[in-house]
Amino acid sequence: MAAGPNLQPQTVNGLLTLDLSNQGLTSIPEEVFDITDLEILDVSKNKLTSIPEAIGRLQKLSRLDAYSNMLTRLPQAIGSLQNLQHLYVYRNNLSELPDGLEALQKLELINVRDNNLTKLPSKIFSCLNLVTFEARNNKLSSLPPGVEKLRKLTFLCIDDNQLTEVAHGVCSLLNLEVLGVSNNKLSTFPPGVEKLQKLRKLYINGNQLTEVPSGVCSVPNLEVLSVSNNKLSTFPPGVEKLQKLRELYINGNQLTEVPSGVCSLPNLEVLNVAVDTNPIRRLPDDVTRLTRLKTLGVPNCQFDEFPRQVLQLKTLEKLYAGGCKFDMVPDEVGNLQHLRFLALEVNLLRTLPSTMSHLHNLREMNVRNNKFDTFPEVLCELPAMEKLDIRNNNITRLPTALHRADKLMDLDVSGNPLTYPPQDVCKQGTGAIMAFLKQEAEKETKDVKRRLDRLKVAERPKKQHEVKKTHHNAVFLSYQWDHQDKVLLLHDRLQERGYSCWMDIKQMGGGDSLYEMMDKGIRGAKVRIHARVNVHRELRLFVRVSDTCD
């Protein structure tokens, strides 16, 4: 027989506390209400459908945690708990709150979010000591009168309801620091927001606003402003006065340009300017002045090409640039050394620049729905990569070199016509794919070792020109000019281990015909190495093989 819950209270931070959370309770044991000195009762994360009226006997209770249950109502007796300061009843099935809560004059915090409330008690805003009121994600169509009486209120969150207006009294809450009214049905915002001089965060996104309240730009302490997903076609002047602003979300509107003054915000770290509807065709040149910017969102902007101004934002950590329809990423993207997240989905990309191998902090990348016919091998050179989404391209093979991305735990290659690895491997997920590629790479290494063993020259010539005159060169090296230094290193390592090589700058003399010498080199070679963007991979492969040959 299972033991019952421990009903012995403990003193925590000087308060007598009984923790019955997360124990599968369907009711509160009656004995709990005999502990009349109890100050904190936690019955959260259970299966309670009600709280008995006997809770009124706990007159010293200062905090009640009953969130994440299945409560459909609260007892009337809660209104008699004169010492109650914190009431947490979020994530339940409450459709209403009991009358009488106005008697709780010590109440400082009430959290009723994620319920089914259609209205609030008419006198709830008579709890004059309220500091935090959280009621988002309910079904409220209006607020009761008297909100202006909450002079101590610093946090008001009524997002995700069905409000058609914000009470004028909200703009009289002079201590308010956070105001959330997003995802309602607001078409206007009351005047007087400039009076909220302590306001730090304002969320009015996801409504039907056609203009931003003009007073917003006169709130000097504002740090976060979200006006996304409204019907804005203009922005009020004076944005540059918001010198403390760190996050600005203006996406999903009808703006044709980034508002004037945004690039003069010295502390801006997050800027999201587009999603779906903003027909923004270019970023302003002085966006480069945002020297603290960490996150930039420009998805679905109508750019003619990759916005090069972005390449100078050296502090950038997250870049969202999906759906912009550009077909090329500039080499300079490799300069964004702090980049951790890069989204380039739904573009027209066929290749990625080799300089992306410099992005040593990149952890997550999305390049789904592009035009890749081959897997961009530069993605094999990203040591911190943890998640890669390359769905819905035209890739038939994954390179074995991908197995070196040993932190890659989430690889999505679905929607590609892959034949290698076989489909039965791909269906098993990331772990199976990486194991297959590692096994195949080991086979390749052994095969290359056997080939090089057969080519090993018994004794290295003392003079380089003797190789040119008297021996066929076993290895022919061709390369792109920008990788010459790496190929020289490969040449020298091969020579050191006894393999004769043909390389243009080593073999060509004055008056030699380039094409004739190349023809002789190719015809005389038994192995040809064509070093393109991944010569560093070939070099590591050779070093690994040649070390085992010594």
Side-chain angles (χ1 to χ4, degrees), residues 328-351:
M328 187 269 293
V329 177
D331 288 343
E332 293 87 346
V333 74
N335 296 334
L336 303 179
Q337 298 283 305
H338 295 284
L339 208 61
R340 295 188 293 112
F341 176 94
L342 179 58
L344 298 171
E345 76 278 6
V346 197
N347 281 294
L348 303 172
L349 301 175
R350 295 183 181 276
T351 62

PDB file of all heavy atoms in Angstrom, residues 328-351:
ATOM      1  N   MET A 328      22.609  34.115 -53.252  1.00  0.00           N
ATOM      2  CA  MET A 328      24.024  34.083 -52.924  1.00  0.00           C
ATOM      3  C   MET A 328      24.253  34.707 -51.549  1.00  0.00           C
ATOM      4  O   MET A 328      23.620  35.696 -51.195  1.00  0.00           O
ATOM      5  CB  MET A 328      24.821  34.846 -53.995  1.00  0.00           C
ATOM      6  CG  MET A 328      26.327  34.752 -53.867  1.00  0.00           C
ATOM      7  SD  MET A 328      27.035  36.085 -52.857  1.00  0.00           S
ATOM      8  CE  MET A 328      26.714  37.508 -53.908  1.00  0.00           C
ATOM      9  N   VAL A 329      25.152  34.081 -50.794  1.00  0.00           N
ATOM     10  CA  VAL A 329      25.582  34.634 -49.504  1.00  0.00           C
ATOM     11  C   VAL A 329      27.019  35.115 -49.679  1.00  0.00           C
ATOM     12  O   VAL A 329      27.881  34.342 -50.101  1.00  0.00           O
ATOM     13  CB  VAL A 329      25.512  33.580 -48.390  1.00  0.00           C
ATOM     14  CG1 VAL A 329      26.030  34.161 -47.075  1.00  0.00           C
ATOM     15  CG2 VAL A 329      24.082  33.078 -48.216  1.00  0.00           C
ATOM     16  N   PRO A 330      27.304  36.377 -49.389  1.00  0.00           N
ATOM     17  CA  PRO A 330      28.655  36.905 -49.608  1.00  0.00           C
ATOM     18  C   PRO A 330      29.697  36.216 -48.730  1.00  0.00           C
ATOM     19  O   PRO A 330      29.407  35.729 -47.633  1.00  0.00           O
ATOM     20  CB  PRO A 330      28.522  38.389 -49.229  1.00  0.00           C
ATOM     21  CG  PRO A 330      27.060  38.680 -49.266  1.00  0.00           C
ATOM     22  CD  PRO A 330      26.374  37.414 -48.914  1.00  0.00           C
ATOM     23  N   ASP A 331      30.945  36.237 -49.216  1.00  0.00           N
ATOM     24  CA  ASP A 331      32.053  35.641 -48.461  1.00  0.00           C
ATOM     25  C   ASP A 331      32.214  36.290 -47.088  1.00  0.00           C
ATOM     26  O   ASP A 331      32.616  35.635 -46.124  1.00  0.00           O
ATOM     27  CB  ASP A 331      33.371  35.804 -49.234  1.00  0.00           C
ATOM     28  CG  ASP A 331      33.438  34.900 -50.452  1.00  0.00           C
ATOM     29  OD1 ASP A 331      32.640  33.943 -50.521  1.00  0.00           O
ATOM     30  OD2 ASP A 331      34.293  35.142 -51.325  1.00  0.00           O
ATOM     31  N   GLU A 332      31.867  37.576 -46.997  1.00  0.00           N
ATOM     32  CA  GLU A 332      32.100  38.309 -45.748  1.00  0.00           C
ATOM     33  C   GLU A 332      31.259  37.803 -44.580  1.00  0.00           C
ATOM     34  O   GLU A 332      31.465  38.233 -43.437  1.00  0.00           O
ATOM     35  CB  GLU A 332      31.829  39.802 -45.961  1.00  0.00           C
ATOM     36  CG  GLU A 332      32.805  40.500 -46.880  1.00  0.00           C
ATOM     37  CD  GLU A 332      32.402  40.392 -48.356  1.00  0.00           C
ATOM     38  OE1 GLU A 332      31.525  39.557 -48.681  1.00  0.00           O
ATOM     39  OE2 GLU A 332      32.954  41.139 -49.179  1.00  0.00           O
ATOM     40  N   VAL A 333      30.312  36.907 -44.842  1.00  0.00           N
ATOM     41  CA  VAL A 333      29.529  36.360 -43.739  1.00  0.00           C
ATOM     42  C   VAL A 333      30.441  35.660 -42.734  1.00  0.00           C
ATOM     43  O   VAL A 333      30.125  35.552 -41.547  1.00  0.00           O
ATOM     44  CB  VAL A 333      28.439  35.389 -44.265  1.00  0.00           C
ATOM     45  CG1 VAL A 333      29.041  34.069 -44.717  1.00  0.00           C
ATOM     46  CG2 VAL A 333      27.365  35.158 -43.206  1.00  0.00           C
ATOM     47  N   GLY A 334      31.604  35.231 -43.204  1.00  0.00           N
ATOM     48  CA  GLY A 334      32.570  34.593 -42.313  1.00  0.00           C
ATOM     49  C   GLY A 334      33.123  35.530 -41.262  1.00  0.00           C
ATOM     50  O   GLY A 334      33.771  35.078 -40.301  1.00  0.00           O
ATOM     51  N   ASN A 335      32.884  36.840 -41.409  1.00  0.00           N
ATOM     52  CA  ASN A 335      33.359  37.812 -40.425  1.00  0.00           C
ATOM     53  C   ASN A 335      32.467  37.876 -39.187  1.00  0.00           C
ATOM     54  O   ASN A 335      32.843  38.493 -38.185  1.00  0.00           O
ATOM     55  CB  ASN A 335      33.428  39.211 -41.049  1.00  0.00           C
ATOM     56  CG  ASN A 335      34.444  39.296 -42.179  1.00  0.00           C
ATOM     57  OD1 ASN A 335      35.411  38.531 -42.197  1.00  0.00           O
ATOM     58  ND2 ASN A 335      34.224  40.194 -43.117  1.00  0.00           N
ATOM     59  N   LEU A 336      31.288  37.273 -39.255  1.00  0.00           N
ATOM     60  CA  LEU A 336      30.353  37.342 -38.132  1.00  0.00           C
ATOM     61  C   LEU A 336      30.711  36.257 -37.111  1.00  0.00           C
ATOM     62  O   LEU A 336      30.003  35.269 -36.926  1.00  0.00           O
ATOM     63  CB  LEU A 336      28.917  37.175 -38.639  1.00  0.00           C
ATOM     64  CG  LEU A 336      28.465  38.189 -39.699  1.00  0.00           C
ATOM     65  CD1 LEU A 336      27.040  37.919 -40.136  1.00  0.00           C
ATOM     66  CD2 LEU A 336      28.593  39.622 -39.165  1.00  0.00           C
ATOM     67  N   GLN A 337      31.805  36.471 -36.434  1.00  0.00           N
ATOM     68  CA  GLN A 337      32.407  35.451 -35.582  1.00  0.00           C
ATOM     69  C   GLN A 337      31.553  35.048 -34.389  1.00  0.00           C
ATOM     70  O   GLN A 337      31.742  33.975 -33.813  1.00  0.00           O
ATOM     71  CB  GLN A 337      33.767  35.946 -35.074  1.00  0.00           C
ATOM     72  CG  GLN A 337      34.778  36.216 -36.167  1.00  0.00           C
ATOM     73  CD  GLN A 337      35.383  34.930 -36.719  1.00  0.00           C
ATOM     74  OE1 GLN A 337      35.911  34.124 -35.968  1.00  0.00           O
ATOM     75  NE2 GLN A 337      35.301  34.748 -38.019  1.00  0.00           N
ATOM     76  N   HIS A 338      30.604  35.899 -33.974  1.00  0.00           N
ATOM     77  CA  HIS A 338      29.782  35.594 -32.807  1.00  0.00           C
ATOM     78  C   HIS A 338      28.460  34.913 -33.175  1.00  0.00           C
ATOM     79  O   HIS A 338      27.663  34.605 -32.280  1.00  0.00           O
ATOM     80  CB  HIS A 338      29.488  36.877 -32.018  1.00  0.00           C
ATOM     81  CG  HIS A 338      30.707  37.509 -31.420  1.00  0.00           C
ATOM     82  ND1 HIS A 338      31.334  37.012 -30.296  1.00  0.00           N
ATOM     83  CD2 HIS A 338      31.441  38.585 -31.809  1.00  0.00           C
ATOM     84  CE1 HIS A 338      32.376  37.760 -29.991  1.00  0.00           C
ATOM     85  NE2 HIS A 338      32.471  38.719 -30.902  1.00  0.00           N
ATOM     86  N   LEU A 339      28.242  34.671 -34.454  1.00  0.00           N
ATOM     87  CA  LEU A 339      26.973  34.121 -34.903  1.00  0.00           C
ATOM     88  C   LEU A 339      26.733  32.733 -34.306  1.00  0.00           C
ATOM     89  O   LEU A 339      27.567  31.842 -34.421  1.00  0.00           O
ATOM     90  CB  LEU A 339      26.954  34.044 -36.429  1.00  0.00           C
ATOM     91  CG  LEU A 339      25.584  34.144 -37.118  1.00  0.00           C
ATOM     92  CD1 LEU A 339      24.919  35.477 -36.794  1.00  0.00           C
ATOM     93  CD2 LEU A 339      25.738  33.995 -38.617  1.00  0.00           C
ATOM     94  N   ARG A 340      25.569  32.564 -33.644  1.00  0.00           N
ATOM     95  CA  ARG A 340      25.200  31.271 -33.056  1.00  0.00           C
ATOM     96  C   ARG A 340      24.020  30.637 -33.782  1.00  0.00           C
ATOM     97  O   ARG A 340      23.863  29.424 -33.754  1.00  0.00           O
ATOM     98  CB  ARG A 340      24.835  31.451 -31.567  1.00  0.00           C
ATOM     99  CG  ARG A 340      25.993  31.910 -30.704  1.00  0.00           C
ATOM    100  CD  ARG A 340      25.634  31.877 -29.228  1.00  0.00           C
ATOM    101  NE  ARG A 340      24.612  32.872 -28.911  1.00  0.00           N
ATOM    102  CZ  ARG A 340      23.364  32.577 -28.550  1.00  0.00           C
ATOM    103  NH1 ARG A 340      22.973  31.313 -28.488  1.00  0.00           N
ATOM    104  NH2 ARG A 340      22.496  33.532 -28.261  1.00  0.00           N
ATOM    105  N   PHE A 341      23.203  31.457 -34.428  1.00  0.00           N
ATOM    106  CA  PHE A 341      22.004  30.962 -35.116  1.00  0.00           C
ATOM    107  C   PHE A 341      21.888  31.666 -36.460  1.00  0.00           C
ATOM    108  O   PHE A 341      22.001  32.889 -36.544  1.00  0.00           O
ATOM    109  CB  PHE A 341      20.755  31.245 -34.269  1.00  0.00           C
ATOM    110  CG  PHE A 341      19.459  30.858 -34.935  1.00  0.00           C
ATOM    111  CD1 PHE A 341      18.899  29.616 -34.706  1.00  0.00           C
ATOM    112  CD2 PHE A 341      18.810  31.736 -35.791  1.00  0.00           C
ATOM    113  CE1 PHE A 341      17.706  29.251 -35.326  1.00  0.00           C
ATOM    114  CE2 PHE A 341      17.622  31.388 -36.418  1.00  0.00           C
ATOM    115  CZ  PHE A 341      17.075  30.138 -36.174  1.00  0.00           C
ATOM    116  N   LEU A 342      21.650  30.877 -37.514  1.00  0.00           N
ATOM    117  CA  LEU A 342      21.543  31.448 -38.853  1.00  0.00           C
ATOM    118  C   LEU A 342      20.396  30.773 -39.592  1.00  0.00           C
ATOM    119  O   LEU A 342      20.402  29.556 -39.797  1.00  0.00           O
ATOM    120  CB  LEU A 342      22.849  31.258 -39.625  1.00  0.00           C
ATOM    121  CG  LEU A 342      22.889  31.775 -41.071  1.00  0.00           C
ATOM    122  CD1 LEU A 342      22.568  33.264 -41.125  1.00  0.00           C
ATOM    123  CD2 LEU A 342      24.249  31.497 -41.699  1.00  0.00           C
ATOM    124  N   ALA A 343      19.395  31.558 -39.972  1.00  0.00           N
ATOM    125  CA  ALA A 343      18.238  31.044 -40.710  1.00  0.00           C
ATOM    126  C   ALA A 343      18.232  31.629 -42.118  1.00  0.00           C
ATOM    127  O   ALA A 343      18.100  32.839 -42.292  1.00  0.00           O
ATOM    128  CB  ALA A 343      16.937  31.395 -39.984  1.00  0.00           C
ATOM    129  N   LEU A 344      18.396  30.752 -43.117  1.00  0.00           N
ATOM    130  CA  LEU A 344      18.417  31.161 -44.522  1.00  0.00           C
ATOM    131  C   LEU A 344      17.419  30.324 -45.325  1.00  0.00           C
ATOM    132  O   LEU A 344      17.601  30.113 -46.518  1.00  0.00           O
ATOM    133  CB  LEU A 344      19.824  30.981 -45.106  1.00  0.00           C
ATOM    134  CG  LEU A 344      20.948  31.806 -44.466  1.00  0.00           C
ATOM    135  CD1 LEU A 344      22.306  31.358 -44.986  1.00  0.00           C
ATOM    136  CD2 LEU A 344      20.740  33.295 -44.728  1.00  0.00           C
ATOM    137  N   GLU A 345      16.380  29.870 -44.688  1.00  0.00           N
ATOM    138  CA  GLU A 345      15.433  28.984 -45.353  1.00  0.00           C
ATOM    139  C   GLU A 345      14.627  29.716 -46.426  1.00  0.00           C
ATOM    140  O   GLU A 345      14.507  30.947 -46.425  1.00  0.00           O
ATOM    141  CB  GLU A 345      14.488  28.346 -44.319  1.00  0.00           C
ATOM    142  CG  GLU A 345      13.391  29.250 -43.786  1.00  0.00           C
ATOM    143  CD  GLU A 345      13.846  30.173 -42.672  1.00  0.00           C
ATOM    144  OE1 GLU A 345      15.061  30.204 -42.363  1.00  0.00           O
ATOM    145  OE2 GLU A 345      12.994  30.891 -42.114  1.00  0.00           O
ATOM    146  N   VAL A 346      14.099  28.943 -47.361  1.00  0.00           N
ATOM    147  CA  VAL A 346      13.222  29.440 -48.429  1.00  0.00           C
ATOM    148  C   VAL A 346      13.884  30.579 -49.201  1.00  0.00           C
ATOM    149  O   VAL A 346      13.327  31.668 -49.356  1.00  0.00           O
ATOM    150  CB  VAL A 346      11.838  29.884 -47.876  1.00  0.00           C
ATOM    151  CG1 VAL A 346      10.823  29.995 -49.010  1.00  0.00           C
ATOM    152  CG2 VAL A 346      11.321  28.903 -46.834  1.00  0.00           C
ATOM    153  N   ASN A 347      15.098  30.352 -49.633  1.00  0.00           N
ATOM    154  CA  ASN A 347      15.777  31.258 -50.545  1.00  0.00           C
ATOM    155  C   ASN A 347      16.100  30.495 -51.825  1.00  0.00           C
ATOM    156  O   ASN A 347      15.452  29.469 -52.117  1.00  0.00           O
ATOM    157  CB  ASN A 347      17.023  31.840 -49.883  1.00  0.00           C
ATOM    158  CG  ASN A 347      16.684  32.970 -48.913  1.00  0.00           C
ATOM    159  OD1 ASN A 347      16.212  34.019 -49.327  1.00  0.00           O
ATOM    160  ND2 ASN A 347      16.912  32.750 -47.620  1.00  0.00           N
ATOM    161  N   LEU A 348      17.062  30.958 -52.589  1.00  0.00           N
ATOM    162  CA  LEU A 348      17.398  30.322 -53.870  1.00  0.00           C
ATOM    163  C   LEU A 348      18.857  29.882 -53.886  1.00  0.00           C
ATOM    164  O   LEU A 348      19.507  29.866 -54.930  1.00  0.00           O
ATOM    165  CB  LEU A 348      17.131  31.310 -55.024  1.00  0.00           C
ATOM    166  CG  LEU A 348      15.694  31.849 -55.104  1.00  0.00           C
ATOM    167  CD1 LEU A 348      15.601  32.964 -56.150  1.00  0.00           C
ATOM    168  CD2 LEU A 348      14.709  30.738 -55.432  1.00  0.00           C
ATOM    169  N   LEU A 349      19.376  29.510 -52.743  1.00  0.00           N
ATOM    170  CA  LEU A 349      20.797  29.200 -52.598  1.00  0.00           C
ATOM    171  C   LEU A 349      21.145  27.840 -53.209  1.00  0.00           C
ATOM    172  O   LEU A 349      20.428  26.852 -53.013  1.00  0.00           O
ATOM    173  CB  LEU A 349      21.181  29.200 -51.123  1.00  0.00           C
ATOM    174  CG  LEU A 349      20.938  30.517 -50.367  1.00  0.00           C
ATOM    175  CD1 LEU A 349      21.234  30.338 -48.890  1.00  0.00           C
ATOM    176  CD2 LEU A 349      21.790  31.640 -50.958  1.00  0.00           C
ATOM    177  N   ARG A 350      22.271  27.812 -53.923  1.00  0.00           N
ATOM    178  CA  ARG A 350      22.818  26.554 -54.459  1.00  0.00           C
ATOM    179  C   ARG A 350      24.153  26.204 -53.823  1.00  0.00           C
ATOM    180  O   ARG A 350      24.568  25.046 -53.828  1.00  0.00           O
ATOM    181  CB  ARG A 350      22.978  26.656 -55.984  1.00  0.00           C
ATOM    182  CG  ARG A 350      21.654  26.800 -56.722  1.00  0.00           C
ATOM    183  CD  ARG A 350      21.851  26.836 -58.226  1.00  0.00           C
ATOM    184  NE  ARG A 350      20.583  26.988 -58.913  1.00  0.00           N
ATOM    185  CZ  ARG A 350      19.749  25.990 -59.212  1.00  0.00           C
ATOM    186  NH1 ARG A 350      20.080  24.742 -58.890  1.00  0.00           N
ATOM    187  NH2 ARG A 350      18.613  26.219 -59.837  1.00  0.00           N
ATOM    188  N   THR A 351      24.833  27.222 -53.295  1.00  0.00           N
ATOM    189  CA  THR A 351      26.117  27.018 -52.632  1.00  0.00           C
ATOM    190  C   THR A 351      26.197  27.921 -51.405  1.00  0.00           C
ATOM    191  O   THR A 351      25.399  28.858 -51.254  1.00  0.00           O
ATOM    192  CB  THR A 351      27.297  27.357 -53.561  1.00  0.00           C
ATOM    193  OG1 THR A 351      27.216  28.753 -53.927  1.00  0.00           O
ATOM    194  CG2 THR A 351      27.287  26.492 -54.809  1.00  0.00           C
TER     195      THR A 351
END
